[in-house]
Amino acid sequence: MILLSADDVSFGFPGHDLFEHVSMAVQESERIALVAPNGAGKTTLLRILRGRVEPDEGRVATAKDVTIGMLDQERELSEAATVGQALALPFARQLEMSQDAVSLAEKVAQGDRQAWHDYSRVLAELELDDGFSVGHRIAALGEDVGFFEVDFPRPLATLSGGERRRLALAQLLLRSPSVLLLDEPTNHLDIRQMERLEERLRAYDGGVVLVSHDRTFLSRMATRVDELTDRGITSYPMSFDRYVEERRVRLEHEWKAYDLQCGEIQRQEEFIRKNFAAQKAKQAKSREKALLRISRLERPRDIWGPPTARK
């Protein structure tokens, strides 16, 4: 099922087009590595998918009831005063119902018959929302990113930038949106924390789009690679390691085809130059017309190297 899609999206700044004609789709249980050199617009594209930036052209669409979460959520941390409160924010509804259940239980103990029906309803809703495991889930995920229960009273104002980043990651994973947009999620994580993140992403039912400089992380996580250029996206339905080899082979084939065509065009132009006013003038004119009709291949580009580089 397609959860999120971008159709012919373009974005740029005055005098500079960042990318054009970008189309992509994010499906359930798919982990997409969005790759491009620095400055190519990966983070901007994530923000467009999140709805924080409007594209110049094209549109972004989501399926019904789909929720989208992006790692860069510093503004949401400001809603809480402590680490524990920040981790609890995604479960505000379940925690409120738990408090209601405690109050209703007291009324039931006093013989309030109406309270009994309300109490049963709240318990059923908590069961449906997995509300009874909230405390355990908060503690487990907090520990995954380096926050233990002893840290829960810590004021957010005392956290370093890296700690705030890890807390934002934990909060986002606790929210479990339909689509995760993760920009450099392994920053500030130690080896154990990275392993736990990988485990959670492998088990994630929703779609995930990853931007990361960590090639090992992408090799372990990506089920598809989308290569972003100024001309759009080339999608590789394979692992990151296979993508690296596949694009190398593709580039070699593109250069071979380009060289063959350039050689043939040069040969025909030389024939035309020598014979246009000579005995074979008719043939030369015919070949000249044929050259005008030919669809010329663009010079292959390697986005990971200098503009004119050839590997």
Side-chain angles (χ1 to χ4, degrees):
M1 173 185 173
I2 295 178
L3 304 172
L4 170 68
S5 63
D7 182 27
D8 207 26
V9 165
S10 300
F11 183 85
F13 305 100
H16 174 59
D17 292 329
L18 197 57
F19 48 75
E20 296 180 306
H21 311 302
V22 167
S23 295
M24 64 181 297
V26 183
Q27 302 195 52
E28 291 177 316
S29 302
E30 192 170 39
R31 298 187 299 274
I32 303 169
L34 180 63
V35 301
N38 290 338
K42 299 186 295 294
T43 296
T44 299
L45 180 55
L46 289 186
R47 289 173 177 165
I48 289 174
L49 295 175
R50 178 66 178 87
R52 293 183 181 169
V53 174
E54 286 293 323
D56 296 333
E57 297 179 3
R59 63 188 292 269
V60 174
T62 59
K64 184 179 179 181
D65 297 327
V66 163
T67 55
I68 303 172
M70 188 171 173
L71 176 56
D72 185 17
Q73 298 200 34
E74 289 291 330
R75 59 190 181 90
E76 296 195 9
L77 293 184
S78 65
E79 299 173 14
T82 67
V83 169
Q85 289 175 5
L87 290 172
L89 280 175
F91 300 105
R93 181 173 178 273
Q94 290 95 327
L95 292 173
E96 184 178 354
M97 284 194 297
S98 295
Q99 292 176 351
D100 290 344
V102 172
S103 298
L104 289 169
E106 293 176 355
K107 292 181 180 180
V108 169
Q110 296 170 4
D112 188 329
R113 298 186 62 183
Q114 179 58 43
W116 172 256
H117 295 291
D118 293 337
Y119 181 60
S120 299
R121 174 182 54 79
V122 170
L123 290 182
E125 290 180 5
L126 280 170
E127 180 72 26
L128 186 64
D129 285 352
D130 201 16
F132 295 110
S133 66
V134 166
H136 171 73
R137 290 157 67 187
I138 289 175
L141 190 50
E143 184 176 340
D144 283 353
V145 295
F147 291 102
F148 299 86
E149 291 191 46
V150 68
D151 298 309
F152 286 8
R154 281 186 62 185
L156 294 186
T158 67
L159 301 183
S160 67
E163 288 174 323
R164 290 179 69 88
R165 178 81 170 179
R166 289 190 279 113
L167 183 58
L169 175 61
Q171 189 188 71
L172 177 60
L173 293 173
L174 285 168
R175 290 184 185 277
S176 298
S178 310
V179 178
L180 282 172
L181 306 176
L182 302 180
D183 193 356
E184 300 295 349
T186 62
N187 283 2
H188 310 291
L189 299 184
D190 62 25
I191 294 177
R192 180 185 176 280
Q193 292 162 6
M194 286 181 61
E195 290 174 348
R196 294 294 292 138
L197 173 62
E198 291 175 5
E199 289 177 13
R200 289 187 178 273
L201 292 181
R202 287 192 187 96
Y204 208 79
D205 292 331
V208 183
V209 182
L210 303 163
V211 170
S212 177
H213 286 90
D214 189 334
R215 294 169 65 98
T216 301
F217 175 71
L218 293 181
S219 295
R220 291 173 176 168
M221 289 290 98
T223 59
R224 188 181 104 202
V225 178
D226 280 4
E227 184 183 83
L228 176 66
T229 72
D230 56 344
R231 301 172 183 174
I233 275 182
T234 301
S235 187
Y236 295 78
M238 58 190 66
S239 67
F240 182 79
D241 290 338
R242 284 187 57 199
Y243 149 75
V244 172
E245 176 62 16
E246 178 72 17
R247 74 176 307 276
R248 182 191 67 79
V249 172
R250 178 177 61 81
L251 197 60
E252 286 182 357
H253 289 168
E254 288 177 355
W255 271 113
K256 183 176 181 180
Y258 178 77
D259 287 342
L260 286 173
Q261 187 183 69
C262 286
E264 179 60 18
I265 290 173
Q266 185 176 6
R267 188 176 70 84
Q268 294 297 337
E269 288 177 339
E270 181 68 13
F271 179 89
I272 293 168
R273 185 183 64 80
K274 289 181 177 179
N275 296 283
F276 199 80
Q279 185 177 3
K280 298 181 179 180
K282 187 175 181 180
Q283 285 183 325
K285 291 179 181 179
S286 176
R287 295 190 185 193
E288 184 180 45
K289 291 179 181 178
L291 277 183
L292 292 174
R293 293 192 299 268
I294 193 172
S295 177
R296 302 203 177 202
L297 299 174
E298 291 186 5
R299 180 183 176 87
R301 296 190 308 160
D302 183 0
I303 65 169
W304 301 106
T308 58
R310 177 175 178 178
K311 295 183 178 181

